[in-house]
């Protein structure tokens, strides 16, 4: 089925820009662009690479964080979130960033949060980003020895004689098969026993400058004896083999049909609709299992499906996506002469106030991705304030802004107010047609229709752009 460029870009990027449309045209259309995005290592990304140098602790290993920061400091976590925002705004590997967000929610580790001050960066690099377009089994196998996950879900202190069940429970309920898979409390206990002994080095348990914050296997804490979870079983007879036992369990769970159904449905909710057709979920689950939990075949099947093609207008942006798309639309760019992170970190905290800071969901289940979760009056007002903030350029340190008139209207400016509104909507709301009443309301915001007057293309243009962004049309993902 032919791909609709605008529809595809709305679902697979953080906002359509002239630069993005040029990229799609340059590679030969949406199908070729999608294939390029599914192999992101082949996409040159010089702007994002340059700006990420401002966030060195976003990719630092735990011992580096221990050495660079005081105990419990937030520097690395703030940089992880800041680097996430920078990539979403400026990376040409847009689908990778969308999938990083998807998996970061699926395997949520609240960031910032005190437990993971030195370890979240490692998880972001080696668990999520390394496997976002790889296989889910590999991602889960990496996650089960991720210091951040072991700390976040209390497994780092779990001893087999009295195992902490938190990670074992979330592994089944949230990360893999789901609560409807029919497992029992005995399965949770068995999973916790299989995971016992997976821990983390720190200065108070014998860690050194070279090992603090890294994965540690404590054979003396591992429970020994047969374990069985759903259809998986293991003799677990060797205390030294606990890591292999844990990885065997999570790889089994990753390939379980119930996990396939959950992952398929979550992807369909992300990319198609809040209540996707069961036929699509079944087809994606089949692709997931046939591909050995590989992600790319599932995405190919999703974007080629008639259900995806028919889903135009069926998803809305969450507040953070709205914010990123707004900043991309107004043409904010990193200042190549600056090393400041101030603007990016300001944007990060601004959307945190709307309850949707990147990586910031407070519970292990990740942000909701349905419209009803984000439709409150306070959230809507907060979005409108951010639209005004963008056109008024509230945050300037380390970035530059394009001129609004040139960015959104091009070289040849409209000569009437009606034409001005039409040009703005064509640029900001591609593929959508305003009702006559809504168009008239936008023209009326300037006064009355007629020739463009003094101020329409200067001091009134920003507020007019903000009103367009406030409309329900802009909320469409």
């Amino acid at each position: 089925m032919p791909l609709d460029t605008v529809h595809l870009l709305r679902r697979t990027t953080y906002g359509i820009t002239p630069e993005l449309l040029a990229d799609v045209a340059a590679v030969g259309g949406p199908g070729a662009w999608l294939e390029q995005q599914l192999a992101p290592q082949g996409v040159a990304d010089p702007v994002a690479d340059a700006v990420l140098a401002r966030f060195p602790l976003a990719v630092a290993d735990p011992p580096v964080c221990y050495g660079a920061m005081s105990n419990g400091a937030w520097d690395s976590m703030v940089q992880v979130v800041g680097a996430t925002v920078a990539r979403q705004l400026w990376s040409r590997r847009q689908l990778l960033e969308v999938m990083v967000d998807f998996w970061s929610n699926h395997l949520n580790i609240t960031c910032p949060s005190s437990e993971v001050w030195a370890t979240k960066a490692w998880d972001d690099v080696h668990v999520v980003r390394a496997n976002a377009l790889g296989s889910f089994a590999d991602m889960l196998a990496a996650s089960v020895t991720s210091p951040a996950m072991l700390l976040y879900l209390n497994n780092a202190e779990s001893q087999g004689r009295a195992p902490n069940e938190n990670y074992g429970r979330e592994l089944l309920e949230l990360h893999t098969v789901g609560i409807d898979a029919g497992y029992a409390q005995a399965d949770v206990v068995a999973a916790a026993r299989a995971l016992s002994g997976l821990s983390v080095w720190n200065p108070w348990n014998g860690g050194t400058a070279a090992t603090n914050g890294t994965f540690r296997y404590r054979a003396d804490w591992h429970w020994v004896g047969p374990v069985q979870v759903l259809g998986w079983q293991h003799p677990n007879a060797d205390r030294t083999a606990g890591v292999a036992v844990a990885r065997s369990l999570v790889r089994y769970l990753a390939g379980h049909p119930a996990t396939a159904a959950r992952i398929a449905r979550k992807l369909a909710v992300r990319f198609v609709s809040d209540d996707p057709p069961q036929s699509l979920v079944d087809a994606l689950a089949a692709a997931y299992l046939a591909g050995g939990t590989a992600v790319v075949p599932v995405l190919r099947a999703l974007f080629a499906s008639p259900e995806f093609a028919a889903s135009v207008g069926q998803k809305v942006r969450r507040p953070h996506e709205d914010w990123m798309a707004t900043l991309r639309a107004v043409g904010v760019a990193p200042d190549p002469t600056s090393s400041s992170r101030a603007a990016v970190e300001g944007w990060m905290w601004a959307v945190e106030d709307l309850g949707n800071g990147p990586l910031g969901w407070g519970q292990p289940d990740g942000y909701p991705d349905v419209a009803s979760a984000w439709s409150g009056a306070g959230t809507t007002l907060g979005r409108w304030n951010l639209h005004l903030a963008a056109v008024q350029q509230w945050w300037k340190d380390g970035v530059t802004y394009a001129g609004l008139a040139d960015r959104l209207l091009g070289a040849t400016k409209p000569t009437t107010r009606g034409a001005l509104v039409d040009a703005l909507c064509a640029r900001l709301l591609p593929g959508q047609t305003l009702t006559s009443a809504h168009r008239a309301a936008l023209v009326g915001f300037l006064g009355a229709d007629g020739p463009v007057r003094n101020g329409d293309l200067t001091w009134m243009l920003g507020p007019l752009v903000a009103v367009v962004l406030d409309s329900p049309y802009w909320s469409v993902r």
Side-chain angles (χ1 to χ4, degrees), residues 406-420:
D406 290 340
R407 172 77 175 176
L408 300 178
L409 300 172
T412 305
K413 303 299 186 290
T415 58
T416 68
R417 285 174 161 173
L420 170 57

Side-chain angles (χ1 to χ4, degrees), residues 13-14 20 23 37 40 43-49 51-52 83-97 129 328:
T13 75
Y14 281 92
L20 177 59
D23 276 353
Q37 292 291 306
V43 179
D45 210 10
V47 175
D49 290 344
V51 78
L52 289 174
T84 298
V85 170
R87 289 183 174 107
Q88 291 170 353
L89 286 174
W90 297 310
S91 175
R92 294 178 66 236
R93 301 166 182 170
Q94 283 283 292
L95 179 54
L96 172 63
E97 295 309 315
R129 292 187 172 279
R328 284 167 63 85

Side-chain angles (χ1 to χ4, degrees), residues 121-134:
W122 190 94
D123 188 277
D124 185 67
V125 173
H126 297 283
V127 176
V128 180
R129 292 187 172 279
N131 299 290
L133 290 170

Side-chain angles (χ1 to χ4, degrees), residues 75-373:
D75 306 55
S76 177
M77 296 187 294
V78 170
Q79 289 193 29
V80 169
V81 181
T84 298
V85 170
R87 289 183 174 107
Q88 291 170 353
L89 286 174
W90 297 310
S91 175
R92 294 178 66 236
R93 301 166 182 170
Q94 283 283 292
L95 179 54
L96 172 63
E97 295 309 315
V98 168
M99 290 306 298
V100 165
D101 178 72
F102 175 86
W103 292 120
S104 294
N105 274 293
H106 185 72
L107 300 176
N108 188 51
I109 298 171
T110 307
C111 181
S113 64
S114 57
E115 300 93 339
V116 300
W117 65 275
T119 55
K120 176 55 184 171
W122 190 94
D123 188 277
D124 185 67
V125 173
H126 297 283
V127 176
V128 180
R129 292 187 172 279
N131 299 290
L133 290 170
S135 82
F136 182 60
D138 287 348
M139 183 182 299
L140 209 56
S143 180
V144 81
T145 56
S146 165
M149 187 62 81
L150 296 172
L151 291 164
Y152 183 64
L153 293 180
N154 311 112
N155 204 82
E157 302 301 323
S158 181
Q159 302 184 36
R161 55 187 169 82
N164 187 308
E165 298 173 10
N166 196 18
Y167 191 9
R169 187 179 307 280
E170 304 302 16
L171 176 66
L172 294 170
E173 180 178 337
L174 299 179
H175 298 176
T176 60
V177 295
I179 200 166
D180 295 328
Y183 61 84
Q185 173 62 17
D187 295 292
V188 173
V189 173
R193 286 172 171 168
L195 300 176
S196 60
L198 307 184
S199 189
V200 181
W201 287 107
N202 65 50
W204 303 275
N205 67 15
T208 67
T211 63
N212 284 331
T214 62
F215 172 69
R216 176 189 186 187
Y217 177 60
R218 297 198 60 157
D220 56 328
W221 283 7
H222 185 63
W223 190 86
V224 174
V227 280
Q228 181 172 335
V229 178
L230 292 173
W232 173 85
Q233 55 187 355
H234 197 288
N236 189 35
D238 183 352
R239 189 176 296 278
T240 66
V243 175
V245 172
R247 286 183 171 148
S248 171
L249 170 61
V250 299
R251 286 191 177 279
Y252 169 81
L253 292 172
H256 195 285
T259 303
R262 286 195 71 241
I263 297 294
R265 189 172 196 287
K266 291 185 81 169
L267 285 168
V269 168
R270 172 61 183 79
F271 289 107
V272 175
S273 72
D274 290 359
D275 186 17
Q278 189 60 44
S279 59
L280 174 64
V281 174
D282 292 344
L284 299 183
Y288 174 92
L289 292 173
T293 81
V295 176
V296 167
V298 182
L299 294 180
R300 282 201 182 100
L302 189 156
F303 295 126
S305 70
E307 291 89 345
F308 176 74
S311 69
V312 175
Q314 295 185 27
K315 290 294 297 185
V316 299
R317 289 169 167 152
R318 290 181 287 194
H320 177 67
E321 295 170 77
D322 181 331
W323 185 216
M324 295 297 97
T326 296
L327 292 168
R328 284 167 63 85
V330 302
V332 66
D335 180 352
T337 68
S338 174
S339 61
S340 174
R341 299 189 297 268
V344 172
E345 292 179 357
W347 299 330
M348 179 184 93
W349 294 121
V351 78
E352 182 84 20
D353 291 342
L354 300 187
N356 193 203
L359 309 177
W361 184 246
Q363 291 78 44
D365 56 349
Y367 281 114
D369 195 11
V370 293
S372 58

Side-chain angles (χ1 to χ4, degrees), residues 390-416:
V391 299
Q392 295 176 349
Q393 305 178 6
W394 285 11
W395 294 273
K396 295 182 178 179
D397 288 344
V399 298
T400 63
Y401 288 81
L404 269 185
D406 290 340
R407 172 77 175 176
L408 300 178
L409 300 172
T412 305
K413 303 299 186 290
T415 58
T416 68

